[in-house]
Amino acid sequence: MKDFCYSILIIALILCLGACSSEKNSWTSKAYHNTTAHYNGYYYARDEIRKIEQTLWSSLNDDYGKILRLYPKIDSSLASGYDKEVQEAIKMASLAIQRHPNSKWVDDAYIIVGKARLYSLDFGNAIQTLKFVNTKSEDPNARHQAIIQLVRTFTEHQEYNNGQAAIDFVEKEKLNKANKKNLLLEKAYFYQEQVDYDYVVRNLTEVAPLLSKKDRPGRIYFIIGQVYQKLGFEAEAYNFYRKCLATNPEYEVDFYARLYLAQVTEISRSKSVNAALKSFRKLLKDSKNKEFKDKIYHEMGLFELKQKNLAAAITNFNKSIREGTNKRIDGESYLRLGEIYYDTLRNYELSQAYYDSAVAALPPDYEGFKAIKDRKEILDDFVKNLNTIKWQDSLLAMADLDSLGLRARIDSSLQAKKLLAELNAGKKKKRRSSRIEILSNTNNVFGADENATSDESSTWYFGNPSAVALGQTEFNRIWGDIPLEDNWRRSLRSSSTAVASRNVTGEDLAKPRQEEEVSAAPADPVEAEYMRISKQLPRTDEQKDEALQKIEDAYFNLGDIYYFKLLENENAVLSYNKLLERFPETKYEPEVLYKLYLIFKESDRSKSEDYALQLKTKYPNSTFAKILINPDYLKESSQAAEKQKSIYDTAYSYFAAGEYNAANETLLRAAALGTTSFTPNIELLKILIVGKTEDINKYQYLLDGFSSQNPESELGEYAKKLLGASREFQEKQEQTKGIQYIRSLEEPHYFILAYKQEENIGSTGSSVLENFNKNYFNDLNLKTSTLSLSDEYTLILIADLPRVSSALEYIRTFNEKLSTLTELRNHKFHSFVITKDNFDIFYRTKGLDEYLQFFEKNYPTKD
């Protein structure tokens, strides 16, 4: 018996050793190689792939504001972290292939190698490996599995044409249940990457019955619900959100499924609305949802917006921002508020504040971010021009007040703000919640209708997002984008002090601290505000003209923004008409008349024709009138410009050769072809010829006029440089020779009263001289204006004294009557008369002392 057992053991050992050979094809050899390939090389390789997939899924940061991804994204930074697992998977799968070539797990091992190479972003080798399985394998299921994995590889590598070819090929095959499920999932992912949601949802709904628990069915049902909701099929979305909840998914998916379920609830009766709101309130009360409160309020806002309850929608979006812990959700709430004020309420100032905050909060890869930023920039431009009008008008009004009146107005404004703050503080104690009341607004900046106003109020500053947004903008304007830290003002001050201390010299230490005392802000808020505003007030005629020009430009810009960007023709017409009404001699009139003609062309033919007639009558030679008469004018003008360029080349050759008369005659031929886009070049060359042939003052005068007429063109800038160079040259000559005033006095004169800034004669002096003119020189119709000569001196200028005799009579009478002019006699000033040509030299050189000497020598002021 013992010998028999030994015989059996020897036979079994011989069979086992024979089965180890990879070249034999016996049943024992197959059993051995299948078992060892499966539970050694393949098993460990598959385990490494699972670790990689777990790493990918754990790195996925789901954004529930977008449709969730079916698979995590593979990127190089992540791939470098699991390179060890990739190499181990390839090594173990290769052992299974090399040592057990006859086993049934070879194809599976090759597919594992293909997956590993895909996860390491080695797309070329991954594709070659999977193609090898498809061409060499005798197992149809393995071939199908390889092609399905090939679809995934092409998708990740964005080879969508090859991916579609692989899909078309494998769809013709008869697939087992596992491969059919995987193909549908890979197809859905293939279409998701191309943002083709129609085909995404088709494949996912088809795969839904095939899903098992390991496929995360709750997540896939949630994605189906999201896609249906995005496509507008809310009933289907509702069903799949319900299916998602039935699978008991992970908490975050469960939360958002409940949240979106309320969004897509069919609203047919008020009872349904109440049920949806009750669902939202239930989510808010759940302590587990504390960190999601901002999202709940945001979705409540969207729900109310869908029901057209604007006030409730705005309230909920505001609460979302106040509860905000997620910057992206804050950004989306700001964006929805901006859209409400832009599209529905037409309150562009508030809309601008919200869009500004939205752009700051949303990431650059947010869907439609460029369009959001573009709208924000349009609104920035709109509000900038609107504020320009308001501020410059305020400055002009305040400029007419004396110092007491200005301080009184500032004091009353500050008192009103203080009272409002106290009232709000009192209300805050009684009612902590913030409330926003919304009324319709036409956003008419030229005087709103009584029934078309808009107001946003809140008992708490941080409950009023518009105030917060404006506050953030103002903070950034003053302090810049500083890091969030404790004692930020102190750290900023200390760093600034440190920098300053490194630059202090002994000379600086020896200086008195007067500048610091002057720059220190006054303790009295009224005085501080007075100092700030008084520096900006337009005191002189020149400054007032500058303020009015800013207002004129702003009205024109507002009209263009309304017309071209906001597409509000009615407000565009109001803006353009306000411009024409307030500035009857505006340089924009031809263009404005043409735009008004276009606006009314379809809606009111008679008005359109009226504007066309005004344009043709008042500005027959303008480009806009020519376009109106001949729609092909621009095309024809372009052809004329080309001819002018050819003639100009000839003229410039004459100019360069010093043949200025020939150059002038050639330019006349070019100008005769009409006004074109090339005409400024011709005009500038004419001025350059003047510079070579005539007086330097005339040359400078023409350059100054040219640069004013072409302020935003390259030629205009070039003319400014030429003018600057000419004046610099003239100043150097004058410094060498001394200031040379013109002795020809038989021409119109100005009377000048020059005083230092600290004398503060200003408007008082102008009024005194106007009364003086009425009393003694009323027949001359003299004009009074104020002009700044330098940082030290201001001039009061009386024009126009027609001849030297009139000028002498004026200065003599002024000197005789000065003792009776009580408002002036106690001030220090210089008074003299000056010709217009000499005034140009005087103003340019600022040579007051030199002219006073010239005046004493050449003007006998005593009989």
Side-chain angles (χ1 to χ4, degrees), residues 34 79 114 215 251 348 357 506 770:
N34 286 336
D215 296 314
Y251 180 74
Y348 298 121
S357 298
E770 283 175 358

Side-chain angles (χ1 to χ4, degrees), residues 99-119:
R99 295 182 181 180
H100 311 288
N102 293 329
S103 78
K104 66 179 182 180
W105 295 99
V106 169
D107 295 335
D108 300 271
Y110 271 117
I111 292 170
I112 287 285
V113 172
K115 274 190 176 184
R117 285 171 171 166
L118 164 63
Y119 290 144

Side-chain angles (χ1 to χ4, degrees), residues 382 384-398 445-446 538 543-559 574-576 578-583 586-588 592:
F382 177 88
K384 175 187 172 184
N385 284 284
L386 197 64
N387 289 340
T388 296
I389 293 170
K390 292 177 179 178
W391 182 240
Q392 295 302 325
D393 272 335
S394 297
L395 290 177
L396 287 167
M398 288 187 287
V445 300
F446 317 111
Q543 290 171 336
K544 288 177 181 178
D545 288 343
E546 186 180 344
L548 288 169
Q549 185 60 56
K550 288 178 181 178
I551 295 169
E552 181 182 343
D553 293 341
Y555 272 120
F556 178 76
N557 293 336
L558 277 180
L574 287 171
S575 183
Y576 288 142
K578 185 68 176 179
L579 170 64
L580 298 178
E581 175 190 327
R582 187 166 177 184
F583 302 96
T586 176
K587 62 184 177 181
Y588 298 115
V592 167

Side-chain angles (χ1 to χ4, degrees), residues 737-764:
K737 298 179 181 179
I739 300 173
Q740 299 292 320
Y741 286 107
I742 301 168
R743 294 184 181 276
S744 175
L745 306 180
E746 290 300 327
E747 58 178 286
H749 278 65
Y750 299 135
F751 170 79
I752 303 292
L753 191 149
Y755 62 89
K756 289 187 175 181
Q757 301 281 11
E758 59 261 27
E759 290 296 326
N760 199 22
I761 296 175
S763 57
T764 304

Side-chain angles (χ1 to χ4, degrees), residues 713-731:
S713 69
E714 291 183 11
L715 288 176
E717 290 299 319
Y718 180 59
K720 284 182 183 178
K721 289 179 182 178
L722 290 175
L723 180 60
S726 176
R727 285 174 174 169
E728 186 178 347
F729 170 77
Q730 192 175 27
E731 285 172 8

Side-chain angles (χ1 to χ4, degrees), residues 423-618:
L423 287 172
N424 285 338
K427 289 180 182 178
K428 184 180 174 184
K429 293 177 182 178
K430 296 179 182 179
R431 185 179 57 195
R432 308 289 289 183
S433 63
S434 65
R435 179 174 61 88
I436 292 177
E437 296 176 355
I438 300 301
L439 300 173
S440 63
N441 189 329
T442 62
N443 201 57
N444 182 351
V445 300
F446 317 111
D449 189 285
E450 289 182 2
N451 298 319
T453 60
S454 175
D455 181 52
E456 176 172 281
S457 60
S458 171
T459 58
W460 185 48
Y461 172 80
F462 289 101
N464 187 335
S466 62
V468 173
L470 291 169
Q472 287 173 338
T473 303
E474 183 67 8
F475 181 91
N476 289 335
R477 183 183 69 78
I478 296 170
W479 295 101
D481 189 13
I482 63 172
L484 182 63
E485 59 182 359
D486 292 336
N487 304 316
W488 58 269
R489 263 189 290 241
R490 191 180 305 154
S491 64
L492 189 66
R493 190 182 303 119
S494 62
S495 64
S496 300
T497 305
V499 171
S501 66
R502 287 197 294 270
N503 298 317
V504 173
T505 64
E507 185 181 346
D508 293 327
L509 292 171
K511 289 180 182 178
R513 298 176 57 86
Q514 291 176 352
E515 291 183 11
E516 287 185 24
E517 291 171 7
V518 170
S519 61
D524 181 6
V526 175
E527 188 62 25
E529 190 68 4
Y530 173 79
M531 290 175 64
R532 184 183 74 84
I533 292 175
S534 61
K535 289 177 183 177
Q536 303 179 56
L537 292 178
R539 304 284 189 185
T540 66
D541 290 343
E542 187 179 16
Q543 290 171 336
K544 288 177 181 178
D545 288 343
E546 186 180 344
L548 288 169
Q549 185 60 56
K550 288 178 181 178
I551 295 169
E552 181 182 343
D553 293 341
Y555 272 120
F556 178 76
N557 293 336
L558 277 180
D560 279 359
I561 294 168
Y562 273 128
Y563 184 31
F564 295 111
K565 296 178 179 178
L566 300 178
L567 305 179
E568 287 199 25
N569 288 354
E570 187 176 342
N571 275 329
V573 170
L574 287 171
S575 183
Y576 288 142
N577 280 330
K578 185 68 176 179
L579 170 64
L580 298 178
E581 175 190 327
R582 187 166 177 184
F583 302 96
E585 297 180 4
T586 176
K587 62 184 177 181
Y588 298 115
E589 186 172 17
E591 188 172 351
V592 167
L593 290 173
Y594 182 69
K595 287 172 182 173
L596 289 169
Y597 158 77
L598 293 177
I599 290 172
F600 286 107
K601 192 174 180 180
E602 301 299 329
S603 60
D604 191 331
R605 197 73 184 175
S606 63
K607 275 191 178 181
S608 179
E609 291 299 330
D610 181 53
Y611 286 120
L613 181 62
Q614 288 185 56
L615 177 59
K616 288 185 283 188
T617 304
K618 297 176 73 173

